[in-house]
Amino acid sequence: MVTRRRAGILGVGMALPERILTNADLERIVDTSDEWIVERTGIRERRVAGENESTSDFAIPASQEALNDAGVRPEDLDLVLCATCSGDYPWPATACVVQDALGASRAAAFDLSAACAGFCYGLSVAASLIESGAMRYILLVGADTLTKYVDWSDRRTCILFGDGAGAVILGPCEQSEGVLGSALGCDGAHVRSLYVPAGGTRMPVTEDRLAGRLDKMVMRGGEVFRFAVKIMGEACLRALENSGLTTDEVSLFIPHQANIRIIRAAAERMGLDEGRVFNNVERYGNTSAASVPIALAEAVGGGRIARNDVLVFVGFGAGLTWAANVVRWCRDEPGCGAAP
Ligand code: UT7
């Protein structure tokens, strides 16, 4: 029998902007209220990058923390994979900036663009590269500064998003542990449910378009909400099925942190009680591709995860993309840095 290698998460890290924007701050910018935001989203505050800060400014420290946590050296990395839709430049990839800053001189580098589902897409891609034997150590960092694309006069979107980065180091682990299965998908018919009209090759930026704020995000919130509620549970069940597991075996559900109502609906669909659901949306809002790895890093740091625990990650976002992963935790204790 041929046994494939497994890819395990060997280390985690996260980084956030210092500046906190509370709901009270937003009340001074747009016609909204703390009550409305908390009731409809669960968000109380979010972190916002400074004018001179970009996505790599968070991706780099989060990645350094993950490397230290895993006990893996930058020069051991075979790949720097950055899940982002708000890179430092239209091109080249932000992963190249991170690769240089870390001194990961042997590593290939590319960005993966699947919006808020980017980290979960990336975990599947990275795990496959390790399982196939093509690579040994991979840095996967989910990093976004979507507040740069927010129209601060649009109360329907400006209350939702925050900035930051979360990173993991993946490497070979025991056959029974690591990334056990994933499920990925997309409904491309809804590209315009959440998108930035101008700034790409379809609609290059002009003065008129800038004046019309077409370089900022546009969202049909209700459509995205309905999609998310339907797809999150379905995606997780498919990933569990691909892993040969059931919801009863799930130790901790770590969903994309977009809206507490969406998280609760997904958990309910899966029959998961509150004690098995991680959320920190009230402190960071929706940090896009960073939300799942930030939540993971906080869950690890808070002692919520033990060896052998079954974790389920799920993301959804612009595209409309969706992805879920099932991971059996392969480390004995947070910070053990035990690379096999
Ligand atoms: O990673 C994926 C990213 N996107 C998402 O996850 C978004 C998913 N969608 C959502 O989370 C929700 O649809 C929102 C939180 C965006 C909106 O919540 P909702 O319950 O769907 O509200 P709604 O859009 O149906 O709006 C209800 C009312 C409207 O007023 P009228 O037309 O009924 O008079 C809105 O104008 O609430 C109004 N409204 C607000 N009021 C106060 C919309 N935004 C605000 C606001 N403050 N910030």
Side-chain angles (χ1 to χ4, degrees):
M1 196 175 93
V2 181
T3 52
R4 277 157 68 93
R5 285 210 279 185
R6 287 269 193 217
I9 294 177
L10 309 179
V12 297
M14 60 181 274
L16 295 159
E18 272 177 27
R19 185 176 156 220
I20 295 174
L21 188 73
T22 64
N23 291 350
D25 296 329
L26 282 164
E27 284 175 355
R28 288 188 279 276
I29 300 173
V30 285
D31 178 15
T32 191
S33 66
D34 175 55
E35 193 189 357
W36 192 96
I37 301 171
V38 172
E39 192 184 305
R40 301 289 179 122
T41 71
I43 302 166
R44 292 182 187 278
E45 60 184 46
R46 64 289 289 144
R47 302 297 184 99
V48 177
E51 212 169 302
N52 297 318
E53 286 176 318
S54 65
T55 295
S56 69
D57 290 324
F58 308 105
I60 292 163
S63 301
Q64 277 162 336
E65 194 172 282
L67 282 167
N68 290 341
D69 190 39
V72 169
R73 297 173 309 170
E75 55 271 33
D76 293 331
L77 291 174
D78 297 302
L79 175 64
V80 173
L81 177 51
C82 183
T84 187
C85 60
S86 52
D88 285 18
Y89 312 106
W91 53 270
T94 299
C96 305
V97 179
V98 176
Q99 187 251 21
D100 176 54
L102 295 177
S105 48
R106 280 195 330 102
F110 70 95
D111 284 359
L112 188 156
S113 173
C116 303
F119 178 83
C120 296
Y121 260 72
L123 197 65
S124 172
V125 170
S128 303
L129 287 165
I130 292 169
E131 286 164 10
S132 73
M135 291 185 177
R136 193 167 172 81
Y137 293 115
I138 295 178
L139 160 67
L140 169 62
V141 54
D144 270 309
T145 48
L146 281 196
T147 64
K148 305 272 181 184
Y149 288 100
V150 158
D151 175 350
W152 291 103
S153 68
D154 178 6
R155 69 176 182 174
R156 292 165 304 172
T157 52
C158 75
I159 56 141
L160 295 174
F161 296 93
D163 303 325
V168 297
I169 304 298
L170 290 145
C173 69
E174 299 284 337
Q175 179 64 27
S176 59
E177 298 178 322
V179 181
L180 303 180
S182 297
L184 317 181
C186 168
D187 185 352
H190 297 281
V191 163
R192 288 179 188 80
S193 294
L194 174 53
Y195 79 128
V196 178
T201 52
R202 176 152 307 279
M203 201 188 276
V205 166
T206 60
E207 271 182 36
D208 283 352
R209 287 167 182 162
L210 283 179
R213 298 202 172 102
L214 293 178
D215 60 325
K216 302 300 180 192
M217 72 166 78
V218 178
M219 182 177 74
R220 294 199 279 259
E223 265 179 45
V224 181
F225 189 94
R226 283 188 292 280
F227 167 79
V229 166
K230 178 175 176 291
I231 209 65
M232 272 170 93
E234 268 177 46
C236 295
L237 293 176
R238 277 195 227 177
L240 281 164
E241 193 182 329
N242 293 342
S243 311
L245 296 174
T246 66
T247 45
D248 289 346
E249 288 156 291
V250 175
S251 315
L252 193 63
F253 177 45
I254 305 185
H256 172 44
Q257 307 286 314
N259 183 321
I260 194 68
R261 290 190 292 146
I262 296 175
I263 293 173
R264 289 199 181 123
E268 197 175 311
R269 215 180 171 98
M270 292 167 69
L272 294 174
D273 52 275
E274 238 177 77
R276 286 193 286 164
V277 181
F278 190 88
N279 80 72
N280 59 11
V281 68
E282 68 170 353
R283 282 178 289 129
Y284 306 133
N286 180 347
T287 57
S288 188
S291 92
V292 169
I294 287 174
L296 172 66
E298 288 205 331
V300 171
R304 293 276 302 267
I305 300 175
R307 186 160 195 161
N308 235 12
D309 277 358
V310 173
L311 314 179
V312 173
F313 306 145
V314 64
F316 65 89
L320 293 170
T321 53
W322 57 267
N325 323 98
V326 177
V327 174
R328 193 183 289 280
W329 198 244
C330 66
R331 293 176 23 160
D332 284 318
E333 58 188 70
C336 69

